[in-house]
Amino acid sequence: MSLHEITKIEGGSTSSKAGGSATDRICSSSEMVQLIQKVIAEVIGTYMLIFAGCGSVVVNKIYGSVTFPGICVVWGLIVMVMIYSLGHISGAHFNPAVTITHSIFRRFPLKQVPLYILAQCLGSILASATLCGIFTVHKENFFGTVPTGSNLQSLVIEIIISFLLMFVICGVATDNRAIGELAGIAVGMTILLNVLVAG
């Protein structure tokens, strides 16, 4: 064995016939496991978000026991709970807009964006299917809010509340000067306010 080969081995830059050194394979498999955990966390978080939030709307529509302020509180609380439960695993995006924004500002790897969006869509579809299976939903029922003003007014208010949400998320979740432990409370309360104002 030559001195050059020994130096390469000591430096960890050699590769085996199986396609990379043992260290490279361990790192690669570890990264894959972490990515799978992140995707699963996004599915679970989005599922719980839609199940609780939309579930409160359905329960209120059928039984009238939740009330509109109660629905607002449910949305805010479920977002806060999921951020604290899963934020350390996946970053708790639960929304393609959040994932894309983090990617634009280079706080999130671009190659993981499609997986996150797929996980979020899957979680929301599964939650919707669960609600359809649990509750008797008739075609004439509509479990949502109908704009009270014009389409333009609705568009403007959606832009404002979306800006507020992304402003808060970027402020508390991506800036090192913010107190990270309060991110869940800040984002959850922003969701509560947005639902209270805009439905």
Side-chain angles (χ1 to χ4, degrees):
M1 185 176 288
S2 70
L3 182 60
H4 178 67
E5 290 173 330
I6 293 171
T7 306
K8 283 174 68 176
I9 291 171
E10 288 175 348
S13 61
T14 186
S15 61
S16 66
K17 291 178 182 176
S21 69
T23 306
D24 290 341
R25 287 194 301 273
I26 291 169
C27 289
S28 178
S29 63
S30 174
E31 288 172 5
M32 181 58 72
V33 168
Q34 287 178 351
L35 182 59
I36 291 169
Q37 289 173 341
K38 290 177 180 181
V39 169
I40 292 171
E42 285 294 305
V43 171
I44 293 170
T46 309
Y47 178 93
M48 293 301 177
L49 183 69
I50 299 301
F51 179 79
C54 293
S56 67
V57 175
V58 174
V59 169
N60 187 61
K61 190 82 169 185
I62 294 174
Y63 305 108
S65 57
V66 181
T67 72
F68 179 65
I71 292 169
C72 300
V73 170
V74 169
W75 277 104
L77 284 178
I78 193 63
V79 168
M80 182 180 71
V81 168
M82 288 297 104
I83 288 172
Y84 285 125
S85 300
L86 300 170
H88 62 286
I89 300 172
S90 69
H93 294 187
F94 311 143
N95 185 334
V98 177
T99 302
I100 291 167
T101 302
H102 281 302
S103 178
I104 289 170
F105 288 104
R106 297 181 183 177
R107 296 278 185 168
F108 187 76
L110 185 61
K111 64 183 179 181
Q112 293 182 14
V113 169
L115 285 174
Y116 263 53
I117 292 174
L118 183 65
Q120 293 153 1
C121 290
L122 178 62
S124 61
I125 290 168
L126 290 174
S128 299
T130 303
L131 290 172
C132 282
I134 292 173
F135 297 102
T136 303
V137 180
H138 301 289
K139 289 183 178 180
E140 62 272 12
N141 291 337
F142 175 69
F143 299 108
T145 54
V146 179
T148 55
S150 67
N151 290 338
L152 181 60
Q153 289 171 324
S154 300
L155 177 64
V156 170
I157 198 164
E158 284 294 325
I159 290 170
I160 293 169
I161 66 168
S162 298
F163 173 80
L164 176 61
L165 177 61
M166 295 311 301
F167 181 78
V168 171
I169 290 172
C170 290
V172 299
T174 63
D175 197 320
N176 296 331
R177 296 169 295 179
I179 301 171
E181 292 79 11
L182 298 178
I185 295 173
V187 175
M189 293 307 97
T190 304
I191 293 288
L192 189 154
L193 288 172
N194 280 354
V195 177
L196 192 60
V197 170

